[in-house]
Amino acid sequence: NAFCVYEANLTKDIIFDSVIADPVKAFGGGDNITVSALPCSYTEYLKELIKILPESERNSFSSVASRERLLNRFRKGERNMSLEYWSVDNQGRSFFLRTQFILTLDNASGDVLALIVDHDLTDRKKEEIRQYKMLENALNKAQSASHAKTQFLTHVSHDIRTPLNAIMGMNEMIMRESRECDIIQYADDVRNSSTILLGIINELLDAAKIESGKMELAEANYEIGSVLNDLYNMIKVRAKEKELTLDFN
């Protein structure tokens, strides 16, 4: 990333020629390194910098990066701080920059000195934006798929419950009118299984409500014996097929 290096005396409000003989060595390498060579005041430097900022960010940036604010932060013990911002050049091109302030004290004069490094992070920021948009698109697709699944569960559950209610109604008629013990037993098994299946369908509908944010919880008393009875009826047929004995204590 390209960057520019400046040296400043914040106490005296000046920026002067850099005394770094080899900025590449001093900053660990990099491309397109430029060292400023035009002495001016830090206040003038800040004014020029603010001109390339969007108007909405100028006041806040000026407040944070003002000479008085930097001196105050140095007195509180801070030695390294940075600001990141978008800027626009005179051709309308946008750049994402980071201005880093490395503060130190001149032991001889007692002045507060600052090494100011302007980094061009445009390519990195554009890549971050691209990655963010990819993640956002993936999230939108996942949410759309989840919504489609919820709608599918809702529709299928309603479509299954309608014929199931008809089966349960016909089964009740068989239980009332039949006098044969075997038929009544079979019909009772059908009723128990249908009730369990209806409960599963209702749970699917509840799951769809949860995903859509429409689920409402209500406190209610329940009988543990009834729960165990439903569990028994749910698995007794499979247990019988496998010649297993169910024992509830």
Side-chain angles (χ1 to χ4, degrees), residues 5-92:
V5 180
Y6 306 83
E7 264 196 310
N9 185 318
L10 295 178
T11 303
K12 293 184 172 64
D13 192 19
I14 58 173
I15 289 183
F16 45 85
D17 290 349
S18 176
V19 296
I20 299 177
D22 188 350
V24 176
K25 181 179 180 181
F27 290 94
D31 300 326
N32 304 323
I33 301 176
T34 304
V35 179
S36 69
L38 295 176
C40 65
S41 71
Y42 175 79
T43 302
E44 291 172 349
Y45 159 80
L46 186 59
K47 287 180 180 179
E48 292 299 316
L49 181 61
I50 290 174
K51 289 180 181 179
I52 65 174
L53 300 179
E55 292 187 6
S56 59
E57 297 185 15
R58 291 180 181 178
N59 289 335
S60 59
F61 187 92
S62 176
S63 174
V64 173
S66 68
R67 186 171 68 93
E68 294 77 11
R69 180 64 63 85
L70 291 177
L71 287 171
N72 185 50
R73 294 177 71 170
F74 175 80
R75 295 188 187 101
K76 291 182 178 179
E78 295 187 59
R79 295 294 182 269
N80 193 332
M81 59 199 75
S82 60
L83 296 168
E84 294 184 350
Y85 51 92
W86 282 101
S87 65
V88 182
D89 65 9
N90 53 14
Q91 298 181 7

Side-chain angles (χ1 to χ4, degrees), residues 172-187:
E172 287 295 328
M173 293 178 62
I174 293 174
M175 293 186 67
R176 287 199 302 266
E177 297 180 5
S178 178
R179 297 294 181 267
E180 299 182 27
C181 294
D182 289 342
I183 297 299
I184 293 175
Q185 181 60 47
Y186 295 152

Side-chain angles (χ1 to χ4, degrees), residues 39 52 115 119 126 219 229:
I52 65 174
L115 198 63
H119 302 261
K126 288 182 177 179
E219 294 186 2
N229 183 66

Side-chain angles (χ1 to χ4, degrees), residues 110-135:
D111 293 344
V112 177
L113 306 179
L115 198 63
I116 304 171
V117 186
D118 291 337
H119 302 261
D120 183 357
L121 305 179
T122 305
D123 292 340
R124 184 190 305 178
K125 190 64 175 180
K126 288 182 177 179
E127 178 62 19
E128 289 178 1
I129 293 174
R130 189 185 71 83
Q131 293 287 345
Y132 175 79
K133 288 182 177 179
M134 289 178 59
L135 291 174

Side-chain angles (χ1 to χ4, degrees), residues 125-194:
K125 190 64 175 180
K126 288 182 177 179
E127 178 62 19
E128 289 178 1
I129 293 174
R130 189 185 71 83
Q131 293 287 345
Y132 175 79
K133 288 182 177 179
M134 289 178 59
L135 291 174
E136 189 177 37
N137 290 335
L139 177 61
N140 290 335
K141 289 180 180 179
Q143 290 176 337
S144 297
S146 178
H147 180 66
K149 182 191 71 174
T150 300
Q151 288 186 320
F152 173 78
L153 287 175
T154 301
H155 292 157
V156 169
S157 298
H158 281 296
D159 291 343
I160 294 177
R161 190 162 57 175
T162 299
L164 180 60
N165 286 331
I167 293 172
M168 294 178 70
M170 294 297 295
N171 189 64
E172 287 295 328
M173 293 178 62
I174 293 174
M175 293 186 67
R176 287 199 302 266
E177 297 180 5
S178 178
R179 297 294 181 267
E180 299 182 27
C181 294
D182 289 342
I183 297 299
I184 293 175
Q185 181 60 47
Y186 295 152
D188 186 57
D189 291 340
V190 170
R191 181 179 62 182
N192 293 333
S193 298
S194 298

